Amino acid sequence: MIPIPKKGTPEREAMIKEHRECVDSMKGVAGFSVLKCETPGDTTVVTGGVHENPDLRRVLLRMRGESPKGKLIVICTKIDAEWRIGRLSGVRGVPPEFVTDKVYTCEQEIQHDIFLMRLDELPETAGMPENFTEGWKHRDDNWPVT
């Protein structure tokens, strides 16, 4: 399997650049997808991003496959106006904690910062077969065992 690109490599820099371009083209669109709009803010025609960059697609799939414990998330603090980055506790009923004091006024900008933070935290071996565990409802994932 292919490892996560290391810091400072051209593959990693290209992936970050592609993600940044997707974020910039999505401004004005409700929600977020890692795709490039032909016209910024208009999702009628989308290209690039996860459709055309295999490294970016692979890394995002592996990020999404990680355990929810400690995962970085977007927390809306004022409806459609302010957002902050939080971290999940991994325990049901325990609210997430804010990671930084930075307040975002753009829904897309926070996505890129979370991507960069998660990329730095993601081990190079994330998603490798030797780390695979079947299923996701295990005792250590705080699910009731039935």
Side-chain angles (χ1 to χ4, degrees):
M1 275 196 77
I2 301 168
I4 304 296
K6 293 181 182 179
K7 244 183 185 175
T9 60
E11 295 86 7
R12 186 177 180 121
E13 296 307 315
M15 183 175 50
I16 291 171
K17 180 179 181 272
E18 182 80 10
H19 192 272
R20 174 83 253 170
E21 290 171 2
C22 292
V23 166
D24 291 342
S25 77
M26 280 285 173
K27 287 185 180 171
V29 176
F32 182 72
S33 292
V34 186
L35 297 167
K36 287 185 202 171
C37 301
E38 186 177 272
T39 306
D42 179 7
T43 57
T44 307
V45 178
V46 292
T47 59
V50 294
H51 286 232
E52 297 173 10
N53 188 316
D55 286 335
L56 182 57
R57 179 175 47 249
R58 183 180 311 110
V59 166
L60 287 172
L61 284 172
R62 290 183 186 173
M63 282 180 179
R64 292 171 182 151
E66 291 287 301
S67 170
K69 183 177 183 179
K71 203 173 260 190
L72 295 167
I73 60 167
V74 175
I75 300 173
C76 181
T77 53
K78 288 187 182 172
I79 298 173
D80 294 332
E82 289 183 0
W83 298 266
R84 288 182 62 190
I85 298 174
R87 188 177 297 276
L88 292 175
S89 68
V91 179
R92 285 180 173 210
V94 176
E97 294 183 10
F98 292 119
V99 175
T100 65
D101 291 333
K102 185 174 180 180
V103 176
Y104 295 83
T105 56
C106 174
E107 193 176 3
Q108 282 75 19
E109 284 301 319
I110 195 170
Q111 295 289 349
H112 187 66
D113 283 359
I114 286 178
F115 173 74
L116 295 176
M117 292 168 76
R118 288 183 71 188
L119 189 58
D120 287 343
E121 293 175 359
L122 195 66
E124 188 181 329
T125 59
M128 295 292 195
E130 56 270 18
N131 301 328
F132 177 76
T133 55
E134 193 170 326
W136 50 276
K137 289 186 180 181
H138 292 280
R139 292 179 191 267
D140 62 343
D141 287 336
N142 295 306
W143 281 91
V145 179
T146 55

Short mmCIF file of all heavy atoms in Angstrom, two decimals, residues 66-114:
data_model
loop_
_atom_site.label_atom_id
_atom_site.label_comp_id
_atom_site.label_asym_id
_atom_site.label_seq_id
_atom_site.Cartn_x
_atom_site.Cartn_y
_atom_site.Cartn_z
N GLU A 66 -10.40 7.01 10.12
CA GLU A 66 -9.81 7.00 11.46
C GLU A 66 -10.91 6.98 12.53
O GLU A 66 -12.04 7.37 12.29
CB GLU A 66 -8.94 8.24 11.67
CG GLU A 66 -7.67 8.25 10.83
CD GLU A 66 -6.63 7.26 11.33
OE1 GLU A 66 -6.20 7.37 12.48
OE2 GLU A 66 -6.25 6.39 10.53
N SER A 67 -10.54 6.55 13.71
CA SER A 67 -11.47 6.51 14.84
C SER A 67 -11.97 7.92 15.15
O SER A 67 -11.22 8.89 15.02
CB SER A 67 -10.75 5.95 16.06
OG SER A 67 -11.54 6.12 17.21
N PRO A 68 -13.23 8.06 15.56
CA PRO A 68 -13.75 9.39 15.89
C PRO A 68 -13.06 10.02 17.09
O PRO A 68 -13.06 11.23 17.24
CB PRO A 68 -15.23 9.16 16.18
CG PRO A 68 -15.50 7.73 15.98
CD PRO A 68 -14.25 7.02 15.65
N LYS A 69 -12.44 9.21 17.95
CA LYS A 69 -11.78 9.75 19.13
C LYS A 69 -10.64 10.69 18.73
O LYS A 69 -9.74 10.31 17.99
CB LYS A 69 -11.22 8.62 20.00
CG LYS A 69 -10.59 9.12 21.27
CD LYS A 69 -10.10 7.98 22.12
CE LYS A 69 -9.55 8.54 23.42
NZ LYS A 69 -9.08 7.46 24.29
N GLY A 70 -10.72 11.94 19.16
CA GLY A 70 -9.68 12.92 18.88
C GLY A 70 -9.79 13.59 17.53
O GLY A 70 -8.93 14.40 17.16
N LYS A 71 -10.84 13.27 16.79
CA LYS A 71 -10.99 13.85 15.45
C LYS A 71 -11.34 15.33 15.54
O LYS A 71 -12.09 15.76 16.41
CB LYS A 71 -12.10 13.10 14.71
CG LYS A 71 -12.00 13.20 13.20
CD LYS A 71 -13.00 12.31 12.52
CE LYS A 71 -12.32 11.05 12.05
NZ LYS A 71 -13.15 10.24 11.19
N LEU A 72 -10.77 16.12 14.63
CA LEU A 72 -11.04 17.55 14.57
C LEU A 72 -12.32 17.79 13.78
O LEU A 72 -12.54 17.16 12.75
CB LEU A 72 -9.88 18.29 13.92
CG LEU A 72 -8.58 18.25 14.70
CD1 LEU A 72 -7.42 18.72 13.84
CD2 LEU A 72 -8.67 19.08 15.95
N ILE A 73 -13.15 18.71 14.28
CA ILE A 73 -14.43 18.99 13.65
C ILE A 73 -14.70 20.49 13.60
O ILE A 73 -14.04 21.26 14.29
CB ILE A 73 -15.59 18.29 14.40
CG1 ILE A 73 -15.66 18.78 15.85
CG2 ILE A 73 -15.46 16.78 14.33
CD1 ILE A 73 -16.93 18.41 16.58
N VAL A 74 -15.68 20.87 12.78
CA VAL A 74 -16.14 22.26 12.72
C VAL A 74 -17.31 22.41 13.69
O VAL A 74 -18.24 21.61 13.68
CB VAL A 74 -16.63 22.60 11.29
CG1 VAL A 74 -17.21 24.00 11.24
CG2 VAL A 74 -15.50 22.45 10.29
N ILE A 75 -17.24 23.44 14.52
CA ILE A 75 -18.33 23.74 15.45
C ILE A 75 -18.87 25.12 15.11
O ILE A 75 -18.12 26.10 15.09
CB ILE A 75 -17.85 23.72 16.92
CG1 ILE A 75 -17.30 22.34 17.28
CG2 ILE A 75 -19.00 24.12 17.85
CD1 ILE A 75 -16.66 22.27 18.64
N CYS A 76 -20.15 25.18 14.79
CA CYS A 76 -20.78 26.45 14.47
C CYS A 76 -21.15 27.13 15.79
O CYS A 76 -21.90 26.59 16.58
CB CYS A 76 -22.03 26.23 13.62
SG CYS A 76 -22.86 27.75 13.17
N THR A 77 -20.58 28.34 16.02
CA THR A 77 -20.84 29.06 17.27
C THR A 77 -21.91 30.13 17.11
O THR A 77 -22.56 30.51 18.08
CB THR A 77 -19.54 29.67 17.82
OG1 THR A 77 -18.92 30.45 16.80
CG2 THR A 77 -18.58 28.57 18.28
N LYS A 78 -22.07 30.65 15.89
CA LYS A 78 -23.17 31.56 15.55
C LYS A 78 -23.67 31.13 14.18
O LYS A 78 -22.88 31.06 13.23
CB LYS A 78 -22.70 33.02 15.50
CG LYS A 78 -22.40 33.61 16.85
CD LYS A 78 -22.11 35.09 16.76
CE LYS A 78 -21.77 35.65 18.12
NZ LYS A 78 -21.29 37.03 18.04
N ILE A 79 -24.94 30.87 14.07
CA ILE A 79 -25.51 30.30 12.86
C ILE A 79 -25.12 31.10 11.62
O ILE A 79 -25.37 32.31 11.53
CB ILE A 79 -27.05 30.18 12.97
CG1 ILE A 79 -27.38 29.24 14.12
CG2 ILE A 79 -27.66 29.69 11.68
CD1 ILE A 79 -28.85 29.16 14.47
N ASP A 80 -24.51 30.40 10.66
CA ASP A 80 -24.07 30.96 9.39
C ASP A 80 -23.18 32.20 9.53
O ASP A 80 -23.11 33.02 8.62
CB ASP A 80 -25.27 31.31 8.49
CG ASP A 80 -26.04 30.07 8.07
OD1 ASP A 80 -25.42 28.99 7.99
OD2 ASP A 80 -27.24 30.19 7.80
N ALA A 81 -22.51 32.35 10.66
CA ALA A 81 -21.68 33.54 10.86
C ALA A 81 -20.31 33.23 11.45
O ALA A 81 -19.32 33.82 11.03
CB ALA A 81 -22.40 34.54 11.76
N GLU A 82 -20.23 32.31 12.42
CA GLU A 82 -18.96 32.03 13.08
C GLU A 82 -18.78 30.53 13.31
O GLU A 82 -19.74 29.84 13.66
CB GLU A 82 -18.87 32.75 14.44
CG GLU A 82 -18.71 34.23 14.34
CD GLU A 82 -18.56 34.88 15.71
OE1 GLU A 82 -18.57 34.17 16.75
OE2 GLU A 82 -18.42 36.12 15.74
N TRP A 83 -17.53 30.08 13.15
CA TRP A 83 -17.19 28.68 13.35
C TRP A 83 -15.87 28.59 14.10
O TRP A 83 -15.03 29.48 14.01
CB TRP A 83 -17.05 27.96 12.01
CG TRP A 83 -18.30 27.93 11.21
CD1 TRP A 83 -19.23 26.93 11.21
CD2 TRP A 83 -18.78 28.93 10.31
NE1 TRP A 83 -20.27 27.27 10.35
CE2 TRP A 83 -20.00 28.49 9.78
CE3 TRP A 83 -18.30 30.17 9.89
CZ2 TRP A 83 -20.75 29.21 8.87
CZ3 TRP A 83 -19.03 30.89 8.97
CH2 TRP A 83 -20.24 30.42 8.47
N ARG A 84 -15.68 27.48 14.84
CA ARG A 84 -14.43 27.21 15.53
C ARG A 84 -14.07 25.74 15.37
O ARG A 84 -14.93 24.91 15.07
CB ARG A 84 -14.54 27.55 17.01
CG ARG A 84 -14.58 29.05 17.25
CD ARG A 84 -14.66 29.43 18.69
NE ARG A 84 -13.49 28.97 19.44
CZ ARG A 84 -13.43 29.02 20.78
NH1 ARG A 84 -14.43 29.48 21.48
NH2 ARG A 84 -12.35 28.58 21.40
N ILE A 85 -12.81 25.43 15.60
CA ILE A 85 -12.33 24.05 15.50
C ILE A 85 -12.44 23.39 16.87
O ILE A 85 -12.02 23.95 17.87
CB ILE A 85 -10.87 24.00 15.02
CG1 ILE A 85 -10.76 24.59 13.61
CG2 ILE A 85 -10.34 22.56 15.03
CD1 ILE A 85 -9.33 24.72 13.10
N GLY A 86 -13.02 22.19 16.87
CA GLY A 86 -13.15 21.41 18.10
C GLY A 86 -12.57 20.03 17.91
O GLY A 86 -12.28 19.60 16.80
N ARG A 87 -12.39 19.32 19.02
CA ARG A 87 -11.88 17.95 18.99
C ARG A 87 -12.86 17.05 19.73
O ARG A 87 -13.27 17.36 20.85
CB ARG A 87 -10.50 17.88 19.64
CG ARG A 87 -9.83 16.53 19.47
CD ARG A 87 -8.42 16.52 20.05
NE ARG A 87 -7.50 17.42 19.42
CZ ARG A 87 -6.81 17.16 18.31
NH1 ARG A 87 -6.98 16.02 17.68
NH2 ARG A 87 -5.96 18.05 17.83
N LEU A 88 -13.23 15.94 19.07
CA LEU A 88 -14.15 14.98 19.68
C LEU A 88 -13.46 14.21 20.80
O LEU A 88 -12.29 13.85 20.67
CB LEU A 88 -14.66 13.99 18.63
CG LEU A 88 -15.57 14.55 17.54
CD1 LEU A 88 -15.88 13.47 16.51
CD2 LEU A 88 -16.85 15.10 18.14
N SER A 89 -14.20 13.93 21.86
CA SER A 89 -13.64 13.19 22.99
C SER A 89 -13.58 11.69 22.69
O SER A 89 -12.77 10.99 23.25
CB SER A 89 -14.50 13.41 24.23
OG SER A 89 -15.76 12.80 24.05
N GLY A 90 -14.48 11.24 21.84
CA GLY A 90 -14.55 9.81 21.56
C GLY A 90 -15.47 9.08 22.52
O GLY A 90 -15.63 7.88 22.43
N VAL A 91 -16.09 9.82 23.43
CA VAL A 91 -17.02 9.23 24.39
C VAL A 91 -18.39 9.84 24.16
O VAL A 91 -18.53 11.06 24.14
CB VAL A 91 -16.56 9.50 25.85
CG1 VAL A 91 -17.55 8.90 26.84
CG2 VAL A 91 -15.17 8.94 26.08
N ARG A 92 -19.38 8.99 23.96
CA ARG A 92 -20.74 9.49 23.74
C ARG A 92 -21.20 10.36 24.91
O ARG A 92 -20.98 10.01 26.07
CB ARG A 92 -21.71 8.33 23.58
CG ARG A 92 -21.61 7.67 22.26
CD ARG A 92 -22.63 6.56 22.22
NE ARG A 92 -22.66 6.00 20.90
CZ ARG A 92 -23.74 5.47 20.36
NH1 ARG A 92 -24.86 5.44 21.03
NH2 ARG A 92 -23.69 4.97 19.16
N GLY A 93 -21.82 11.48 24.58
CA GLY A 93 -22.35 12.36 25.59
C GLY A 93 -21.35 13.40 26.11
O GLY A 93 -21.73 14.34 26.77
N VAL A 94 -20.07 13.20 25.80
CA VAL A 94 -19.06 14.18 26.23
C VAL A 94 -18.86 15.16 25.07
O VAL A 94 -18.50 14.76 23.96
CB VAL A 94 -17.72 13.49 26.58
CG1 VAL A 94 -16.66 14.52 26.92
CG2 VAL A 94 -17.93 12.51 27.72
N PRO A 95 -19.12 16.44 25.32
CA PRO A 95 -19.05 17.41 24.22
C PRO A 95 -17.61 17.63 23.74
O PRO A 95 -16.66 17.40 24.48
CB PRO A 95 -19.59 18.70 24.85
CG PRO A 95 -19.39 18.53 26.31
CD PRO A 95 -19.48 17.06 26.59
N PRO A 96 -17.47 18.07 22.49
CA PRO A 96 -16.13 18.36 21.98
C PRO A 96 -15.54 19.58 22.68
O PRO A 96 -16.26 20.39 23.25
CB PRO A 96 -16.36 18.64 20.50
CG PRO A 96 -17.80 18.99 20.39
CD PRO A 96 -18.51 18.32 21.51
N GLU A 97 -14.21 19.68 22.64
CA GLU A 97 -13.53 20.82 23.23
C GLU A 97 -12.92 21.66 22.12
O GLU A 97 -12.44 21.13 21.12
CB GLU A 97 -12.43 20.35 24.18
CG GLU A 97 -12.97 19.65 25.40
CD GLU A 97 -11.87 19.25 26.37
OE1 GLU A 97 -10.71 19.68 26.19
OE2 GLU A 97 -12.19 18.50 27.31
N PHE A 98 -12.93 22.98 22.30
CA PHE A 98 -12.31 23.87 21.32
C PHE A 98 -10.80 23.66 21.34
O PHE A 98 -10.20 23.52 22.40
CB PHE A 98 -12.65 25.33 21.60
CG PHE A 98 -14.10 25.66 21.39
CD1 PHE A 98 -14.88 26.14 22.43
CD2 PHE A 98 -14.69 25.49 20.15
CE1 PHE A 98 -16.21 26.45 22.25
CE2 PHE A 98 -16.03 25.78 19.95
CZ PHE A 98 -16.79 26.27 21.00
N VAL A 99 -10.20 23.68 20.16
CA VAL A 99 -8.76 23.45 20.02
C VAL A 99 -8.00 24.77 20.09
O VAL A 99 -6.94 24.85 20.70
CB VAL A 99 -8.46 22.71 18.70
CG1 VAL A 99 -6.98 22.56 18.47
CG2 VAL A 99 -9.14 21.36 18.69
N THR A 100 -8.52 25.79 19.44
CA THR A 100 -7.88 27.10 19.43
C THR A 100 -8.92 28.17 19.75
O THR A 100 -10.11 27.89 19.81
CB THR A 100 -7.28 27.42 18.04
OG1 THR A 100 -8.34 27.53 17.09
CG2 THR A 100 -6.30 26.36 17.57
N ASP A 101 -8.43 29.39 19.93
CA ASP A 101 -9.33 30.52 20.18
C ASP A 101 -9.74 31.21 18.89
O ASP A 101 -10.54 32.14 18.90
CB ASP A 101 -8.66 31.54 21.11
CG ASP A 101 -8.50 30.98 22.52
OD1 ASP A 101 -9.29 30.11 22.91
OD2 ASP A 101 -7.55 31.41 23.21
N LYS A 102 -9.19 30.76 17.76
CA LYS A 102 -9.45 31.41 16.48
C LYS A 102 -10.91 31.22 16.07
O LYS A 102 -11.44 30.12 16.12
CB LYS A 102 -8.53 30.85 15.40
CG LYS A 102 -8.66 31.56 14.07
CD LYS A 102 -7.62 31.07 13.07
CE LYS A 102 -7.79 31.80 11.75
NZ LYS A 102 -6.82 31.36 10.75
N VAL A 103 -11.55 32.32 15.66
CA VAL A 103 -12.94 32.29 15.20
C VAL A 103 -12.93 32.55 13.70
O VAL A 103 -12.32 33.50 13.22
CB VAL A 103 -13.79 33.37 15.93
CG1 VAL A 103 -15.19 33.39 15.37
CG2 VAL A 103 -13.80 33.10 17.43
N TYR A 104 -13.60 31.68 12.95
CA TYR A 104 -13.66 31.79 11.49
C TYR A 104 -14.98 32.42 11.08
O TYR A 104 -16.02 32.10 11.66
CB TYR A 104 -13.54 30.41 10.85
CG TYR A 104 -12.21 29.75 11.09
CD1 TYR A 104 -11.96 29.07 12.27
CD2 TYR A 104 -11.19 29.82 10.14
CE1 TYR A 104 -10.73 28.46 12.50
CE2 TYR A 104 -9.97 29.21 10.36
CZ TYR A 104 -9.76 28.53 11.55
OH TYR A 104 -8.54 27.94 11.76
N THR A 105 -14.94 33.27 10.09
CA THR A 105 -16.17 33.87 9.56
C THR A 105 -16.49 33.31 8.18
O THR A 105 -17.46 33.71 7.56
CB THR A 105 -16.06 35.40 9.50
OG1 THR A 105 -14.91 35.73 8.72
CG2 THR A 105 -15.94 35.99 10.90
N CYS A 106 -15.66 32.39 7.71
CA CYS A 106 -15.87 31.74 6.41
C CYS A 106 -15.92 30.23 6.63
O CYS A 106 -14.98 29.64 7.18
CB CYS A 106 -14.74 32.10 5.44
SG CYS A 106 -14.85 31.21 3.88
N GLU A 107 -17.01 29.63 6.21
CA GLU A 107 -17.23 28.20 6.41
C GLU A 107 -16.17 27.35 5.72
O GLU A 107 -15.84 26.26 6.18
CB GLU A 107 -18.62 27.86 5.88
CG GLU A 107 -19.13 26.52 6.27
CD GLU A 107 -20.55 26.28 5.79
OE1 GLU A 107 -21.12 27.14 5.10
OE2 GLU A 107 -21.08 25.22 6.11
N GLN A 108 -15.62 27.82 4.61
CA GLN A 108 -14.64 27.04 3.87
C GLN A 108 -13.22 27.15 4.44
O GLN A 108 -12.48 26.18 4.42
CB GLN A 108 -14.64 27.44 2.39
CG GLN A 108 -15.78 26.86 1.60
CD GLN A 108 -17.10 27.55 1.87
OE1 GLN A 108 -17.16 28.66 2.38
NE2 GLN A 108 -18.20 26.89 1.56
N GLU A 109 -12.85 28.31 4.95
CA GLU A 109 -11.49 28.51 5.48
C GLU A 109 -11.17 27.54 6.60
O GLU A 109 -10.06 27.03 6.70
CB GLU A 109 -11.30 29.95 5.95
CG GLU A 109 -11.12 30.94 4.85
CD GLU A 109 -9.92 30.65 3.94
OE1 GLU A 109 -8.84 30.28 4.45
OE2 GLU A 109 -10.09 30.80 2.72
N ILE A 110 -12.15 27.30 7.45
CA ILE A 110 -11.92 26.40 8.58
C ILE A 110 -11.64 24.98 8.09
O ILE A 110 -10.87 24.24 8.68
CB ILE A 110 -13.10 26.45 9.58
CG1 ILE A 110 -12.71 25.81 10.91
CG2 ILE A 110 -14.35 25.81 9.00
CD1 ILE A 110 -13.72 26.04 12.01
N GLN A 111 -12.24 24.60 6.96
CA GLN A 111 -12.03 23.26 6.40
C GLN A 111 -10.57 23.05 6.02
O GLN A 111 -10.01 21.97 6.23
CB GLN A 111 -12.93 23.05 5.17
CG GLN A 111 -14.40 23.04 5.47
CD GLN A 111 -14.86 21.81 6.22
OE1 GLN A 111 -14.14 20.84 6.37
NE2 GLN A 111 -16.08 21.86 6.72
N HIS A 112 -9.95 24.06 5.43
CA HIS A 112 -8.54 23.92 5.03
C HIS A 112 -7.64 23.83 6.25
O HIS A 112 -6.71 23.02 6.27
CB HIS A 112 -8.12 25.09 4.13
CG HIS A 112 -6.75 24.90 3.55
ND1 HIS A 112 -6.47 23.89 2.65
CD2 HIS A 112 -5.60 25.57 3.75
CE1 HIS A 112 -5.18 23.96 2.33
NE2 HIS A 112 -4.64 24.98 2.99
N ASP A 113 -7.90 24.63 7.28
CA ASP A 113 -7.08 24.56 8.49
C ASP A 113 -7.21 23.21 9.17
O ASP A 113 -6.22 22.64 9.64
CB ASP A 113 -7.45 25.69 9.45
CG ASP A 113 -6.88 27.03 9.02
OD1 ASP A 113 -6.16 27.09 7.99
OD2 ASP A 113 -7.14 28.03 9.71
N ILE A 114 -8.42 22.66 9.21
CA ILE A 114 -8.61 21.33 9.79
C ILE A 114 -7.87 20.29 8.96
O ILE A 114 -7.23 19.39 9.50
CB ILE A 114 -10.11 20.98 9.92
CG1 ILE A 114 -10.73 21.77 11.06
CG2 ILE A 114 -10.31 19.48 10.13
CD1 ILE A 114 -12.20 21.56 11.25
#
